[in-house]
Amino acid sequence: MKDQIHLDPFHLQSFLAVAETLHFTSAAQSQGVSQSTISQHVSRLEEQLGTRLLARSTKSVRLTGDGMALIGLARQLLQCEDSILSRFRQEAPRGTIRLGVTEDLLLTRFPEILGTFRASHPSLQITLTVGLSAHLAHLLEQGELDVWCGMRRTSETRGQKLWTEEMRWYAPAGTEFPAEQSIPLVTFPDGSVTRRLAIETLNKSGRAWHLAFTSGSLGALLAAVRAGYGVTPQPAFLRNVEHLPHCAPGLLPDMPQVEFIASTRHQTAQGPEDLLIRTLCAHVPRLQPELLPV
């Protein structure tokens, strides 16, 4: 009988961290270990499987064909392990987390991270509310949410920062903005972070503006831009949304950065809420992978 190969879950976790970020330093930070440890784990895994999983150079990291094939299998194995442990741990957390998120986050890999959380904590249920940051913050204050994830100004301090995001202007393809033209704004209702920042940015630059289309739905705003109603200020990660062109640099004044956060009713997250926020923080690179350095 041949010796059986037993894969170390920590090696698989290290490989997945690199596969998600394509960056050893970021993978090490997300796993809370050193870069050399991540490298050793991946090398050991490659040795056991007898194949190259990553093609590495001094400037880049990319997945090989076998590396791509391993991603799904590794996630399945780790999820099975988590399910077994959760099933037989008497202290496994139970209950419901009332989570609020902004609509733009649903266009990232945020739902996949919720899937990862569900696999690790199958006894915890989530009820989801989608809305604007200001509305979600109000629901949290009223005790109607346990956690909300959304946007804040960089000068604000509430919540746990997940990452800093660039803002961009999105407008119909070929649109130009002569200096004398009033900028037609397609934006959320009064109280939204993006609306306030857009108006402040245009006022500071001396550009005239007017409201051309208003909606509490991000989908409606993007549809209005495609229909030619005007320009909308939104996070840079939306640049990959199909048929959503963005303004060329210099046509409109640069917007300030924003921060995406996770916030709870308590100053320090506790219990299931803490588990969720720690999962989000550990998987931040999956939310905005293109913004990471190589």
Side-chain angles (χ1 to χ4, degrees):
M1 182 176 178
K2 294 183 178 180
D3 293 338
Q4 295 293 316
I5 295 177
H6 297 284
L7 300 179
D8 189 324
F10 291 108
H11 295 173
L12 292 173
Q13 289 173 349
S14 294
F15 163 73
L16 287 176
V18 178
E20 290 167 356
T21 63
L22 295 181
H23 192 254
F24 275 80
T25 300
S26 298
Q29 291 173 347
S30 70
Q31 298 300 299
V33 298
S34 67
Q35 183 175 335
S36 61
T37 297
I38 292 287
S39 182
Q40 290 171 6
H41 286 178
V42 172
S43 296
R44 176 56 178 158
L45 189 58
E46 290 178 327
E47 179 183 337
Q48 286 185 295
L49 297 179
T51 187
R52 290 290 300 278
L53 302 172
L54 299 169
R56 287 163 271 188
S57 71
T58 56
K59 294 184 178 180
S60 66
V61 177
R62 64 178 178 82
L63 288 160
T64 64
D66 285 338
M68 291 289 293
L70 180 60
I71 291 176
L73 295 171
R75 285 176 178 164
Q76 290 176 24
L77 192 151
L78 292 175
Q79 286 175 1
C80 286
E81 181 186 53
D82 287 341
S83 296
I84 292 171
L85 292 174
S86 297
R87 171 64 179 81
F88 293 100
R89 284 174 179 162
Q90 293 184 352
E91 71 276 13
R94 298 178 181 274
T96 299
I97 301 175
R98 298 170 298 170
L99 172 64
V101 302
T102 51
E103 189 178 353
D104 46 16
L105 284 176
L106 299 183
L107 297 179
T108 68
R109 298 176 70 182
F110 190 92
E112 295 180 29
I113 298 177
L114 289 183
T116 299
F117 180 78
R118 177 182 177 277
S120 299
H121 307 286
S123 298
L124 283 173
Q125 304 299 315
I126 286 184
T127 61
L128 186 65
T129 299
V130 179
L132 300 179
S133 292
H135 178 61
L136 297 176
H138 175 72
L139 292 179
L140 186 74
E141 292 172 359
Q142 296 299 311
E144 296 181 38
L145 290 178
D146 301 307
V147 180
W148 76 268
C149 299
M151 183 189 297
R152 74 179 181 191
R153 293 169 176 261
T154 55
S155 59
E156 295 180 277
T157 58
R158 65 178 177 185
Q160 167 70 49
K161 186 178 83 168
L162 299 176
W163 82 91
T164 301
E165 179 72 17
E166 301 289 335
M167 293 291 292
R168 289 192 178 184
W169 297 99
Y170 297 89
T175 302
E176 296 184 1
F177 300 101
E180 68 278 5
Q181 177 183 333
S182 176
I183 306 300
L185 280 182
V186 174
T187 185
F188 291 118
D190 190 23
S192 83
V193 176
T194 55
R195 174 172 170 148
R196 291 198 304 269
L197 289 176
I199 292 174
E200 290 172 5
T201 298
L202 292 174
N203 286 343
K204 185 176 180 180
S205 68
R207 296 300 302 266
W209 57 271
H210 64 278
L211 295 177
F213 188 100
T214 302
S215 175
S217 164
L218 175 61
L221 297 186
L222 302 186
V225 170
R226 296 189 188 100
Y229 277 87
V231 59
T232 188
Q234 298 296 337
F237 59 66
L238 294 182
R239 62 189 177 275
N240 292 327
V241 173
E242 188 176 6
H243 305 308
L244 183 64
H246 56 81
C247 293
L251 287 181
L252 290 174
D254 292 338
M255 292 273 290
Q257 294 178 323
V258 296
E259 293 174 344
F260 277 84
I261 66 167
S263 184
T264 66
R265 288 179 295 165
H266 309 286
Q267 186 172 3
T268 302
Q270 303 172 1
E273 292 87 353
D274 177 56
L275 293 175
L276 176 59
I277 291 179
R278 284 198 280 118
T279 299
L280 292 174
C281 290
H283 292 274
V284 162
R286 293 170 64 182
L287 290 172
Q288 28 88 59
E290 291 184 296
L291 303 185
L292 290 173
V294 176

